[in-house]
Amino acid sequence: VDGSTLSQLKKMIDKAIELGADKVLVIDCRTLMSKLPAYKEGQVFVIANPKIPSKLLTRNAKKLQKTYEIGYSDVLTNTALETWLKN
């Protein structure tokens, strides 16, 4: 789930759960998660890195490439995500 506003993000998570998702992976580029309502433990996993160089409307190819590289690295080195996916 990727959302640009907290209200839309909550709706998307709720919709995924309504459609039967046991787990929802959230990519948060704006660090909104501190305001997200609580869900059942283990149901929602958040990846957030406020240090990424691009924003929602970024078109600069170098910034987008760097953002991709940071995100890819974050996922590969995230042992908590690996554990969450296996359970």
Side-chain angles (χ1 to χ4, degrees):
V1 173
D2 184 7
S4 59
T5 66
L6 182 62
S7 62
Q8 184 174 349
L9 184 58
K10 182 185 178 331
K11 286 179 187 176
M12 287 193 284
I13 293 170
D14 291 344
K15 185 66 173 181
I17 293 168
E18 177 188 319
L19 292 173
D22 293 326
K23 297 181 177 186
V24 180
L25 176 61
V26 175
I27 313 277
D28 176 27
C29 300
R30 295 171 25 134
T31 61
L32 296 170
M33 301 324 308
S34 61
K35 299 175 184 126
L36 190 67
Y39 287 93
K40 185 169 65 173
E41 185 176 343
Q43 191 169 27
V44 176
F45 190 91
V46 179
I47 296 177
N49 187 337
K51 297 179 182 176
I52 60 170
S54 63
K55 303 296 178 217
L56 181 63
L57 300 177
T58 300
R59 294 175 51 185
N60 180 296
K62 287 182 182 180
K63 284 185 179 182
L64 292 171
Q65 180 64 35
K66 185 65 176 171
T67 298
Y68 173 82
E69 291 168 4
I70 290 170
Y72 188 76
S73 175
D74 284 352
V75 168
L76 288 179
T77 60
N78 192 327
T79 56
L81 173 62
E82 182 178 5
T83 301
W84 180 77
L85 288 170
K86 289 180 179 179
N87 291 330

